[in-house]
Amino acid sequence: MTQAPAAPKAARRRHDREIVALAVPAFGALVAEPLFVMVDSAIVGHLGTPQLAGLAVAAALLTTAVSIFVFLAYATTAAVARRVGAGDLAAAIRQGMDGIWLALLLGVAVIAVTLPTAPWLVEAFGASDTAAPYAITYLRISSLGIPAMLVVLAATGVLRGLQDTRTPLYVAIGGFAANAGLNAGLVYGAGLGIAGSAWGTVIAQVAMAAAYLVVVVRGARRHGASLRPDAAGIRASAQAGAPLLVRTLSLRAVLMIATAVAARLGDTDIAAHQIVLSLWSLMAFALDAIAIAGQAIIGRYLGADDPEGARQACRRMVQWGIASGVVLGILIVASRQLFIPLFTSDSAVHDTLLPALLVVAVSQPIAGVVFVLDGVLMGAGDGTYLAGAMLVTLAVFAPVALLVPTFGGGLTALWWAMTLMMTVRMLTLWLRMRSGRWLVTGATR
């Protein structure tokens, strides 16, 4: 009787080791990504306000474009992990190459659209007459790096599927350092101004893509996997990613609606909302790291025809998500007086910000469950359900959020609506998890 719990404890320890080994490096890589824009902003900011404003508009457009294609990482991770679980590393890498070829094709298409439409896009984002020329310059040059950015997404998915999150961390750190050095050298040393910042970022992105390709190509040669583009494989990658694209666009719509509502509430509310949203996004990085571990681990278990192992890993990751959410919520509350002054000295913004921030703190355990189950279902290749669930969530959230200015409550009410959105997501994902329909085993779904 005394030895009965040993097996469950051993299983939990095994899952814990896997989650930590994958999630910690993934978190580092995720945090490194937004630092690119921060470095660019810090360097360009010393050129002048119009240049910085132009960078802000162009960076927003580029970030939106790349975030839309994040399915390249998610879908590739799940597909590769399944084949790893099935013990077929050659097929796993072949699947990853299909994702990389798809990324290249999409990147070229984005360049073809962006170069001629850059002035219109910048105008649509409301750039001023003084900022627009700088925004157009930065956008056109930086768009040349989009294929490399998308290759990085797909190749990151390949390595995550191979249960390797350390290499993406090292590449992200190297890319960040190269970007900082190149920006400083080209902007000021070469006197290229904002164009130098754009070229520095493009070069760093190409170098990151090249580093990933070296790793993937070596793996392909080691296991005898073909590197040539395969039309059927590329189509399969696109089909697997399409539902995740719908999910991502729906989530982006939620965030855009929230920002639009906050803007209608007034300058104080939109300023406070931007701070809250930034902190909420930072918390999301920590929780998304566990989700990334979930994608890789669940895909591997299902590929190995081990649904019970997948179910146990899912339960343990949900526990991790709840615990992480509780810790993050406590940290927000405990440190609020320390970090709020870093963002604003305006007492009106401070007073508006604080209650909304407490709502975010309370909702973090819910967010922990959402991110984990999102990752679990992505790892299972359950993209169609994720797309439908996010559309339902958007349908519930939109009318509630849009009624906030009418019924009052200000920014706090808006963030309660955001909490409702996360709660609906949690319920839809939990119902799917409980049903067991996501437990489809085999090398392919």
Side-chain angles (χ1 to χ4, degrees):
M1 294 292 291
T2 57
Q3 295 182 348
K9 285 184 179 179
R12 285 198 298 271
R13 284 196 296 270
R14 185 178 71 254
H15 291 314
D16 289 346
R17 285 194 298 269
E18 283 189 321
I19 293 167
V20 170
L22 291 170
V24 172
F27 175 69
L30 288 169
V31 170
E33 291 173 11
L35 293 178
F36 270 70
V37 176
M38 289 180 64
V39 167
D40 288 4
S41 299
I43 292 173
V44 171
H46 291 286
L47 293 174
T49 300
Q51 289 91 334
L52 184 58
L55 171 65
V57 171
L61 285 162
L62 290 164
T63 301
T64 300
V66 174
S67 66
I68 287 172
F69 296 113
V70 74
F71 70 84
L72 288 166
Y74 294 159
T76 305
T77 297
V80 171
R82 275 185 176 269
R83 286 162 175 78
V84 169
D88 192 346
L89 289 177
I93 296 173
R94 173 66 262 177
Q95 178 70 44
M97 284 305 305
D98 291 335
I100 290 172
W101 281 111
L102 175 62
L104 279 171
L105 291 173
L106 290 172
V108 171
V110 172
I111 290 177
V113 171
T114 304
L115 287 178
T117 62
W120 179 84
L121 291 170
V122 167
E123 183 181 356
F125 260 63
S128 66
D129 292 340
T130 54
Y134 297 108
I136 293 168
T137 296
Y138 191 93
L139 181 59
R140 279 181 165 157
I141 295 172
S142 292
S143 68
L144 301 177
I146 286 179
M149 295 167 74
L150 299 189
V151 166
V152 166
L153 284 177
T156 300
V158 176
L159 295 181
R160 288 173 181 171
L162 293 170
Q163 317 296 295
D164 176 9
T165 56
R166 289 184 179 274
T167 300
L169 172 61
Y170 300 147
V171 174
I173 292 172
F176 169 72
N179 181 61
L182 286 165
N183 266 260
L186 294 174
V187 171
Y188 297 110
L192 296 179
I194 195 169
S197 176
W199 280 118
T201 301
V202 169
I203 294 169
Q205 289 161 348
V206 170
M208 290 173 67
Y212 275 116
L213 289 175
V214 167
V215 174
V216 174
V217 169
R218 283 177 180 172
R221 288 175 176 169
R222 188 182 310 122
H223 298 286
S226 173
L227 298 173
R228 294 179 180 178
D230 176 68
I234 293 172
R235 280 197 303 272
S237 294
Q239 289 169 357
L244 295 179
L245 175 60
V246 173
R247 168 204 167 272
T248 300
L249 290 174
S250 300
L251 182 56
R252 295 293 301 182
V254 165
L255 299 177
M256 289 175 64
I257 289 170
T259 300
V261 170
R264 289 175 60 190
L265 295 174
D267 290 348
T268 299
D269 290 86
I270 186 61
H273 173 75
Q274 184 58 37
I275 296 171
V276 178
L277 187 61
S278 298
L279 292 168
W280 185 78
S281 299
L282 180 62
M283 299 301 104
F285 283 132
L287 299 174
D288 203 25
I290 305 174
I292 287 169
Q295 293 171 30
I297 293 169
I298 294 300
R300 192 190 72 233
Y301 272 115
L302 294 178
D305 291 319
D306 186 1
E308 184 54 34
R311 196 187 294 274
Q312 290 176 7
C314 174
R315 290 198 199 101
R316 190 57 179 163
M317 281 183 283
V318 168
Q319 292 169 358
W320 269 79
I322 294 171
S324 299
V326 170
V327 170
L328 291 173
I330 292 172
L331 284 175
I332 290 172
V333 174
S335 61
R336 65 190 186 279
Q337 298 301 338
L338 296 176
F339 65 75
I340 289 178
L342 298 175
F343 290 96
T344 181
S345 57
D346 189 321
S347 59
V349 174
H350 181 282
D351 293 342
T352 303
L353 166 66
L354 192 56
L357 199 61
L358 294 177
V359 174
V360 171
V362 170
S363 68
Q364 285 306 295
I366 297 173
V369 176
V370 168
F371 276 86
V372 166
L373 292 182
D374 216 33
V376 165
L377 295 183
M378 283 183 190
D382 206 8
T384 301
Y385 182 84
L386 287 172
M390 197 62 227
L391 287 171
V392 169
T393 302
L394 175 60
V396 172
F397 169 77
V400 174
L402 292 172
L403 286 172
V404 166
T406 302
F407 288 96
L411 188 67
T412 303
L414 176 59
W415 275 93
W416 276 120
M418 289 286 285
T419 301
L420 170 66
M421 179 271 295
M422 294 299 287
T423 302
V424 173
R425 287 186 71 188
M426 182 181 70
L427 290 174
T428 56
L429 297 174
W430 180 79
L431 288 172
R432 186 62 167 182
M433 186 271 291
R434 291 279 295 176
S435 74
R437 293 178 183 173
W438 56 279
L439 291 166
V440 180
T441 59
T444 58
R445 183 177 171 84

